[in-house]
Structure formats: C-alpha cells, structure tokens
Amino acid sequence: MQAGRRLARRTAAWQAGTTALLALALLSQGASHAVAAAVGGAAMLVGGALAARLMVGGGVMPANAVMARWFAGVVLKLALVFTVLLLGLGAWRLPPLALLAGIVVALLTQLLVAARR
C-alpha cells in the first residue's frame, strides 16, 4: 500500500512539473494558451489523484473488490477529464490544441513514470 502511495505522489509531482514546463513554453503564444495547457494538465493531475486515492485506499480486499475500485477510479478520472475538456472548449473558450496538449503531456508523463517503476 505504501508503494502505491509513493508511486502516486511521484507521478503527481512529475505531472505537475511537465505541465508547468508546457505552460511556460506556450506562454510565448499568449496567456490563454498557457492557461489552457495548465487546465488540461491539472485535470489529469486531479483526476489521477482522485483515482489513485480510490484505487489504493481500500487495503487488502478480494480480487473482485480491487477490480471494482480500479474500474471506478478510471471512470472517475475520465469523467473529470472529459468534463474539464468540454468546459474548456465550450464555456471557457480555451485554445483547443493547448488544452489537449496539457492533457496529453500529463497522460504521457503518467505512463512514463509508471513504466519506469
């Protein structure tokens, strides 16, 4: 359980760092692009944190309960990311490519940190 929490914290730190670097790089395109990248990355970061908390927060359980918690965590994360994506494109009128870039960079960072483990 501790290893899962350490991995979640390490993943969140790397995601925050890469999202911040992307936002700084996109600042040359304008503040709205930097904000869009930060919002996209933050959606992945918060979604991942909520999913990790749900996935590893139960302690020792039967396999079917572990799978149910894992599935619920993934669904929660995707629901949050898609909600932010829709709000960012519709209500907030953020630049779409920058918003997607923030999501993709945070997702790739998550995959790389997990694979490096």
Side-chain angles (χ1 to χ4, degrees):
M1 190 156 76
Q2 284 294 75
R5 287 188 178 139
R6 280 193 307 270
L7 179 62
R9 280 194 295 266
R10 185 174 45 233
T11 301
W14 277 99
Q15 282 180 314
T18 56
T19 299
L21 286 175
L22 177 65
L24 284 173
L26 290 178
L27 196 56
S28 65
Q29 298 293 318
S32 64
H33 286 79
V35 168
V39 166
M44 284 297 295
L45 178 66
V46 171
L50 290 174
R53 187 164 199 74
L54 183 62
M55 288 178 193
V56 299
V60 176
M61 294 184 289
N64 60 349
V66 171
M67 289 302 294
R69 289 178 71 93
W70 179 83
F71 184 73
V74 170
V75 168
L76 176 67
K77 177 180 180 175
L78 290 176
L80 178 71
V81 170
F82 282 121
T83 300
V84 169
L85 184 63
L86 290 174
L87 285 172
L89 294 175
W92 301 331
R93 306 258 188 237
L94 295 173
L97 287 178
L99 184 62
L100 286 174
I103 292 171
V104 168
V105 164
L107 179 60
L108 288 175
T109 302
Q110 176 186 359
L111 293 174
L112 290 173
V113 170
R116 198 178 75 156
R117 179 179 183 243

